[in-house]
Amino acid sequence: MWEIDFAAQIFSFLKSILLGGIYGLIYDLFRFPVRRREASAISVFAVDLLYFAFIAVINFCFLLTVTNGEVRGYLLLGAALGFAAYKKALSPVLRLAAALVIKPIRVLFSLLNRGIKAVFSPVITFFSKIIKKISEIIKKRLKKSQ
């Protein structure tokens, strides 16, 4: 006879809520690069498709370990509730924090880029002039030999 273990089901439901929150975090990680710049519809579709495939594998593994592969409605509901709770409560905060972290990093890389260009620009100009002189000499010698 099958016994219903309510404690195990409640614990599984709570785990599915946590997993739904993780799904939301993964969604933000997948979508953050697409949101930061103008993205084409194809790239958004590709990112969404990749997210869907990734989440399907994670969900399959979760259901396999928790319910021996049986799809239970309360687990899907828990994952949906966890995702919605994450998107409503934590996602805006984490996106703001990510933007605050990324902005100084962009400024730092911009400064490094300018510094590297300032240092190497004269070197590149010098070598390009040398190469240009060498190519002119080679062209003159080729014309004389013909």
Side-chain angles (χ1 to χ4, degrees):
M1 191 84 187
W2 291 86
E3 290 185 29
I4 298 175
D5 187 5
F6 287 114
Q9 288 183 348
I10 290 172
F11 188 63
S12 297
F13 180 69
L14 293 175
K15 285 193 285 188
S16 70
I17 290 173
L18 178 64
L19 187 65
I22 293 170
Y23 290 166
L25 178 64
I26 293 170
Y27 182 76
D28 279 348
L29 292 175
F30 270 76
R31 289 299 300 256
F32 189 75
V34 174
R35 275 193 203 129
R36 295 303 302 164
R37 55 188 149 76
E38 294 298 321
S40 68
I42 294 172
S43 64
V44 172
F45 176 74
V47 167
D48 286 346
L49 192 62
L50 186 64
Y51 170 78
F52 175 75
F54 187 68
I55 294 303
V57 170
I58 292 173
N59 207 30
F60 173 75
C61 293
F62 175 73
L63 290 174
L64 197 61
T65 58
V66 172
T67 62
N68 295 324
E70 296 177 356
V71 178
R72 300 283 180 172
Y74 69 93
L75 294 178
L76 298 177
L77 177 66
L81 289 174
F83 182 86
Y86 169 83
K87 291 302 282 180
K88 201 67 164 163
L90 293 177
S91 182
V93 174
L94 291 179
R95 282 191 295 172
L96 178 63
L100 292 175
V101 168
I102 288 175
K103 187 173 183 177
I105 291 173
R106 280 188 177 167
V107 169
L108 177 67
F109 277 115
S110 175
L111 290 173
L112 285 173
N113 188 22
R114 286 185 204 156
I116 289 171
K117 282 182 180 178
V119 169
F120 288 107
S121 181
V123 174
I124 291 171
T125 304
F126 173 74
F127 281 114
S128 65
K129 287 180 180 178
I130 290 176
I131 291 171
K132 188 174 180 180
K133 294 272 187 189
I134 291 172
S135 67
E136 288 173 0
I137 291 170
I138 292 172
K139 284 181 183 178
K140 286 181 183 178
R141 289 191 179 176
L142 284 174
K143 284 184 180 180
K144 286 182 182 179
S145 67
Q146 288 179 355

